[in-house]
Amino acid sequence: MIDIDLPDLTAAHSKARELIGTLYGYTDCIATAVKFLTGTGILTDGEKTMHCSETVTRILRAGGVNVCPDLKADEVSPVLFYEDLKKMGAL
């Protein structure tokens, strides 16, 4: 477990509530792996489906912490998420 200070906790809570019920995107995991392994982005679907790292990325960004700023939230993998938090000093 890690602690992250969010500049706008209300916005983060709002985004989290908004995402409740979003389907898990199995193909999102494939798109993320392709981006991670090849550097090539493939089709993403925005917020129609979510995978774990994408969901947390969207919530943190809504709260004012721009994790993995060079990537779409759909493209954030657990490894990239972890590495970015480490760079930010959150770990």
Side-chain angles (χ1 to χ4, degrees), residues 9-23 46-50 54-55 58-59 61-63:
L9 189 57
T10 301
H13 281 171
S14 178
K15 177 54 88 174
R17 283 190 298 276
E18 177 187 319
L19 296 175
I20 291 172
T22 304
L23 296 175
E47 292 185 0
K48 291 179 184 173
T49 61
M50 297 275 158
E54 174 184 1
T55 303
R58 290 185 187 281
I59 292 167
R61 286 179 180 176

Side-chain angles (χ1 to χ4, degrees), residues 18-35:
E18 177 187 319
L19 296 175
I20 291 172
T22 304
L23 296 175
Y24 188 80
Y26 296 98
T27 57
D28 294 352
C29 296
I30 295 167
T32 300
V34 169
K35 177 71 174 189

